[in-house]
Structure formats: structure tokens, C-alpha cells
Amino acid sequence: NVFVEFEDAGKPSGINTTKSAFYAFCLFKEEREKKQIWVLIPTTILKELMKKYPIKNGGDNWEAKGHIIPKEDLLNYEL
């Protein structure tokens, strides 16, 4: 799973402040060593995908808010 942050300490952050056209996630597994899987997803699609999941707290002192997205949904998103 990945955590996509949109607010921290009551202020917009993460995906709500990025100017990036894409987000990249590494789906890390220790046994793959240097052959990790990377997911590159357009920011606009990630914002739509996030709406399917409840808001969760995370980050330092649990002050951040975001959505936890299952890795399978990142790999199988549809336009």
C-alpha cells in the first residue's frame, strides 16, 4: 500500500501542492534487491483514484492526512 498525503499540520501539502505531472512509487521488496518495481502515474489520475479511499492520519505525530491506496489499484487503474 502507499500513503498519498494531501495535508500536514492543517496546511495543504503533498499532492495538493505539487506541480508535478506524475507521481512515482517504488513497490519495494527486499528479495528483489536492485530489481524493484516502479509505478509512474499521472497526478490527475492519482487524484481521482484517491477519492475511492477514506481519509487517514499518518506522518510525524499523525498530523498528516492522506489516503492509503492498495498497490494492486495503482497497477490496475483504468482511464
Side-chain angles (χ1 to χ4, degrees), residues 23-63:
Y23 256 62
F25 297 98
C26 179
L27 304 180
F28 182 83
K29 272 186 131 176
E30 192 171 327
E31 54 271 14
R32 283 197 294 253
E33 296 180 8
K34 295 180 181 179
K35 299 175 184 170
Q36 299 303 323
I37 293 173
W38 287 85
V39 177
L40 185 66
I41 184 169
T43 302
T44 54
I45 291 174
L46 183 57
K47 285 181 177 181
E48 287 298 314
L49 186 59
M50 287 171 51
K51 293 177 184 178
K52 294 172 53 178
Y53 302 96
I55 295 170
K56 300 286 186 178
N57 288 351
D60 295 336
N61 301 317
W62 298 98
E63 291 183 341

